Amino acid sequence: MPNPEHLLYTAEHEWVQIAPGAELPTEPVRVGLTTFALDALGDVVYVDLPEVGSTVTAGDACGEVESTKSVSDLYSPVTGTVAEVNQAIVDDPALIAADPYDNGWLFTVTPEATAKLLTSQEYETLIA
Amino acid sequence: MSHGSTRSTPLHDVHVALGARLTDFAGWRMPLKYSSELAEHEAVRTTAGLFDLSHMGEIRVRGPQAGAALDHALVGTLSAIATGRAKYSLLCTENGGIIDDLVTYRLADDEFLVIANASNAAVVLAELVARAQDFDATVTDETEQTALIAVQGPASQGVIHELVDTDAERERVTALRYYACTPARLAGLEVLLARTGYTGEDGFEVYVAAADAASLWQALQTRVEAVGGRPAGLACRDTLRLEAGMPLYGNELSLDTDPYAAGLGRVVKLDKEFVGRDALARVAQEPPARVLTGLTGEGRRAARAGNHVLDSEGATVGIITSGALSPTLGRPVAIAHVDREVAAAGGTLQVDVRGTLLPFSVTPYPFYKRS
């Protein structure tokens, strides 16, 4: 699946719901995993997400994604306060891979700052 | 291996055509999974999974003293097994450390087939050659010419039935016992058919000439898919064997582990001479300080190999050797190497899962047993 152009990406394979070139939104934005990450991980069986109300820091680990075989850190693309976690994927992690750029989102953050983020084109160059 | 010496199995093109995700494993290019490892795991538990295991080492030991040579080389008494039967045994160093765990089939009075783990195949071959030197027996590596395809799962017998020609042969397949083998004709191809496996299910391991591997795979795949099964890769193999409480070389077994500490004292026959006997006889005198035990957790967060095991006071009492979320049970299972004093069933220990202490109950394995 191509990585949607209306999102920005981290080098650690997360996407964040910020349009390229746009100003930092004032509303919470969604964070998710790219198909590249999900393909490398294998079937996700457990996710550990930051708590609602906690502060996450751009570029820092803020949770874990576990597949049958391995565990990967989850990095926050932005600094800000966690507004919501996606309970559906916590209950059934298989939903992440089923719809990674939409219903498979992980959590939302009210952003204050961002890490260095990539456009879909830059991200695709990175993983090519 | 990183120096370009990676080998491909005779089924490599089949895996590529199936869209397998391939991985380098023990010097071989192997299918990790074809689609979803959880679906492949479930297929083995409910219908059938089809595995390419051609990376395993096949070593033939032949000659009037083949049995005696193996008795000297391995911790078990291989000369005592009947033709057509298989035995699980260990190859140990002089010091009692485990070089490999292997299954040996007796094909005739004077002929055995030893199956070594891919990562240890070269050292097993070298050891067997050296240890057979004073015996009238020859040791031949047949890994290159041999493919190994496994069908594992409750529907396996039906799958094999479909590929033999006569009712008499079907009856022979039905009558084949666990850990037994027989020459057979499957889909018109000469094979060694063995009722063995590493998944905790009923199943068959089929040894076939490398040149026939692709046609045997196609015949098996058609039948496996007809019963709702599917090709299965190495990823699900690991969760299957862990649920079944089967040790993995490199995790539960190593040169630093002796058979008693690995809970495999029963396979050591001290009433005969073999390499490592004196060391193991001494070890057998006293209970091991650390033993392998099973652990199960609540929730979904798995303990992983290398995580530390702690007692209620927070003292380190062991280390996880294998751990995963059990796809069948839906909860974390693990095997740990722990101080004997804390290994009593029903006790509670803690596992340091990347900084978080999680409670785990001591639970004898296998965690999963077929009904």
Side-chain angles (χ1 to χ4, degrees):
Chain A
M1 191 190 296
N3 295 288
E5 286 175 16
H6 67 278
L7 304 174
L8 290 176
Y9 299 85
T10 69
E12 287 83 26
H13 314 294
E14 288 88 15
W15 57 260
V16 59
Q17 189 189 15
I18 298 174
E23 282 185 26
L24 205 57
T26 51
E27 296 296 306
V29 293
R30 287 179 174 182
V31 175
L33 290 171
T34 67
T35 49
F36 179 86
L38 290 159
D39 194 37
L41 278 167
D43 294 336
V44 175
V45 293
Y46 175 80
V47 284
D48 182 42
L49 298 177
E51 281 179 36
V52 171
S54 68
T55 304
V56 291
T57 305
D60 283 3
C62 65
E64 288 179 348
V65 185
E66 243 181 277
S67 66
T68 51
K69 190 70 185 165
S70 65
V71 187
S72 299
D73 280 328
L74 179 66
Y75 295 92
S76 182
V78 297
T79 297
T81 306
V82 176
E84 195 183 355
V85 297
N86 185 355
Q87 194 57 42
I89 62 101
V90 172
D91 295 341
D92 182 5
L95 294 176
I96 303 171
D99 193 6
Y101 297 102
D102 196 356
N103 293 320
W105 61 277
L106 303 179
F107 60 94
T108 67
V109 191
T110 310
E112 292 158 16
T114 73
K116 171 160 172 42
L117 298 172
L118 310 170
T119 65
S120 64
Q121 216 167 23
E122 289 166 338
Y123 178 65
E124 267 152 41
T125 306
L126 179 80
I127 61 178
Chain B
M1 297 192 183
S2 55
H3 44 77
S5 67
T6 306
R7 300 156 85 179
S8 292
T9 82
L11 294 165
H12 180 76
D13 293 348
V14 174
H15 303 317
V16 171
L18 285 169
R21 170 180 277 269
L22 296 164
T23 185
D24 288 340
F25 179 81
W28 292 80
R29 196 92 182 122
M30 297 297 294
L32 183 65
K33 59 179 184 168
Y34 299 85
S35 53
S36 144
E37 66 268 23
L38 289 176
E40 292 167 19
H41 181 111
E42 195 195 352
V44 174
R45 289 277 178 256
T46 57
T47 53
L50 185 63
F51 296 88
D52 176 14
L53 305 176
S54 301
H55 61 314
M56 303 287 282
E58 285 90 12
I59 302 166
R60 198 173 295 263
V61 184
R62 193 186 263 147
Q65 289 190 301
L70 287 172
D71 287 351
H72 168 69
L74 306 179
V75 303
T77 310
L78 281 297
S79 62
I81 67 171
T83 297
R85 298 308 303 265
K87 195 177 184 67
Y88 177 81
S89 194
L90 302 169
L91 180 73
C92 286
T93 63
E94 283 283 1
N95 299 325
I98 301 172
I99 297 172
D100 200 14
D101 66 332
L102 22 79
V103 172
T104 300
Y105 301 97
R106 185 168 208 166
L107 306 179
D109 258 9
D110 58 353
E111 188 176 354
F112 296 79
L113 186 64
V114 179
I115 312 303
N117 283 301
S119 50
N120 298 326
V123 57
V124 170
L125 176 69
E127 283 296 335
L128 289 182
V129 167
R131 293 179 189 193
Q133 216 164 30
D134 297 333
F135 296 84
D136 187 358
T138 57
V139 177
T140 323
D141 180 18
E142 298 189 350
T143 307
E144 198 68 38
Q145 308 92 287
T146 312
L148 170 56
I149 302 175
V151 187
Q152 297 281 302
S156 299
Q157 182 174 286
V159 166
I160 301 297
H161 274 179
E162 294 280 331
L163 295 180
V164 297
D165 288 335
T166 65
D167 283 343
E169 284 181 60
R170 270 182 278 280
E171 277 168 36
R172 218 151 56 84
V173 171
T174 307
L176 192 67
R177 291 155 68 192
Y178 187 53
Y179 262 66
C181 65
T182 178
R185 250 182 108 74
L186 275 196
L189 305 166
E190 301 299 330
V191 306
L192 176 69
L193 180 68
R195 199 161 208 154
T196 48
Y198 190 55
T199 61
E201 296 298 333
D202 185 20
F204 296 83
E205 293 184 314
V206 189
Y207 298 86
V208 65
D212 292 335
S215 39
L216 180 63
W217 176 279
Q218 293 302 350
L220 285 166
Q221 189 190 332
T222 303
R223 301 301 179 181
V224 162
E225 288 177 345
V227 298
R230 51 170 74 207
L234 292 181
C236 75
R237 206 167 154 72
D238 192 49
T239 44
L240 288 160
R241 72 89 197 167
L242 175 57
E243 287 180 350
M246 293 172 166
L248 174 64
Y249 198 89
N251 287 42
E252 282 71 42
L253 310 179
S254 72
L255 281 172
D256 299 327
T257 316
D258 68 70
Y260 297 98
L264 294 171
R266 66 180 185 281
V267 308
V268 182
K269 301 303 172 198
L270 293 173
D271 59 356
K272 52 135 195 169
E273 181 282 326
F274 63 89
V275 179
R277 187 204 166 273
D278 293 348
L280 289 175
R282 283 193 297 275
V283 174
Q285 294 297 313
E286 48 189 282
R290 278 195 171 180
V291 295
L292 286 174
T293 190
L295 296 174
T296 54
E298 304 296 331
R300 297 185 67 80
R301 198 173 196 191
R304 301 285 178 175
N307 289 165
H308 286 258
V309 181
L310 294 78
D311 65 14
S312 52
E313 265 92 63
T316 298
V317 291
I319 194 158
I320 301 288
T321 53
S322 294
L325 179 76
S326 159
T328 307
L329 306 178
R331 58 196 298 209
V333 300
I335 299 177
H337 202 211
V338 300
D339 294 348
R340 187 164 37 86
E341 294 75 29
V342 301
T348 301
L349 296 170
Q350 308 182 82
V351 181
D352 183 345
V353 182
R354 297 173 298 285
T356 308
L357 293 182
L358 298 177
F360 276 74
S361 306
V362 176
T363 314
Y365 52 80
F367 306 106
Y368 165 86
K369 215 166 181 175
R370 68 179 189 254
S371 46

